[in-house]
Amino acid sequence: NMMKLAVLASSIAASSAFTSQPFAPMRTALHATEEATTVEESLDLGRSLDEVSGFGSSEEAAVDEPVDPAVAPINGWVPDESLPCYGLPGAVAPTGYFDPLGFAQAGITLNEVKRNREAEVMHGRVAMIATLGYLVGEQLPSPFGITGPANDQLQQVPLPAFILLTAAIGTAEIKRAQRGWVEPDFGNWSKTLFKLRENYYPGDLGFDPLGLKPTDPKEFATMQTKELQNGRLAMIMWTGMCAQELCNHRTLIGTIEFYQKVFAGVNPYEGCGDGVIC
């Protein structure tokens, strides 16, 4: 019996050197039987022989070491190609995930999806500012004497102020590029052209003076969804306001007053002429 036990232990020890995982004693409810106890002792002996001979020690060390995830989470988000838009937030009821033009369809790379989301977030933020600017800029007096529809106000800005405005926008864009985009490789443009950093979350520029950014991943995803929805609505609103002023060359309030006269049965063009713009 002792000879059979030694042969069995040697066979297990030799075979374990060619396996990816070391043997471990199986602890089940069948340990009360004599046969199961003998097998368990044999497996424990095999592990002891492995440790002495050096077989399997590297595998055990690798199992004990913590394994880092393939992709580090960014604000709690881990790209998942099996999910729409790689799992980025932004889908809400009643439309849910809505992508009729296929900007994030299957086969689109992660970099392209992140770049499209970056563009959507930034354009949404600009549209929110522009929408507020149209409403406020046409009603409050300007320090430069700028008047009229918002579409016609930019060309009225004095040259020094226009230069400062352009420099401020350029500085902000350079900062955004440095934070989110891979530096260009002039030797091989294809590697770095339009490529975002792997650890960059689209739209997260690190600018949060009021401390509004949540630390909880779920709360962050919810807040970004709200920002995306407001930005999308602002893009639609700004497009409508800009188109309206291009058509009738009136301010927003001027258009409302114009149609109030129409619905009241008053001639909206009464008094026009002699230099009076209606």
Side-chain angles (χ1 to χ4, degrees), residues 11-153:
S11 301
I12 295 174
S15 62
S16 66
F18 299 95
T19 60
S20 58
Q21 295 292 336
F23 286 100
M26 296 181 293
R27 305 189 181 279
T28 64
L30 303 177
H31 281 232
T33 64
E34 180 180 356
E35 181 180 357
T37 304
T38 303
V39 173
E40 179 182 349
E41 291 175 352
S42 301
L43 294 176
D44 285 336
L45 178 58
R47 293 187 62 191
S48 300
L49 291 175
D50 283 347
E51 294 173 358
V52 173
S53 60
F55 291 125
S57 59
S58 60
E59 287 89 346
E60 291 179 0
V63 171
D64 293 337
E65 292 179 357
V67 180
D68 295 332
V71 179
I74 312 174
N75 291 330
W77 168 68
V78 177
D80 187 349
E81 62 181 356
S82 66
L83 297 176
C85 206
Y86 284 84
L88 283 169
V92 295
T95 59
Y97 177 68
F98 183 74
D99 184 25
L101 299 181
F103 285 107
Q105 64 183 344
I108 302 297
T109 64
L110 175 60
N111 182 72
E112 287 295 316
V113 170
K114 289 176 64 177
R115 192 161 63 91
N116 290 336
R117 174 53 59 88
E118 170 83 1
E120 181 182 23
V121 172
M122 298 309 298
H123 282 84
R125 291 170 180 172
V126 172
M128 285 188 280
I129 297 174
T131 300
L132 184 62
Y134 266 66
L135 296 172
V136 175
E138 293 181 350
Q139 300 304 311
L140 298 181
S142 169
F144 306 113
I146 298 174
T147 58
N151 284 5
D152 303 331
Q153 290 186 2

Side-chain angles (χ1 to χ4, degrees), residues 183-206:
E183 289 79 3
D185 182 3
F186 295 100
N188 190 348
W189 284 97
S190 61
K191 291 183 178 179
T192 56
L193 187 63
F194 303 131
K195 186 174 180 61
L196 272 67
R197 301 184 190 275
E198 293 182 358
N199 61 344
Y200 174 69
Y201 191 95
D204 187 3
L205 303 178

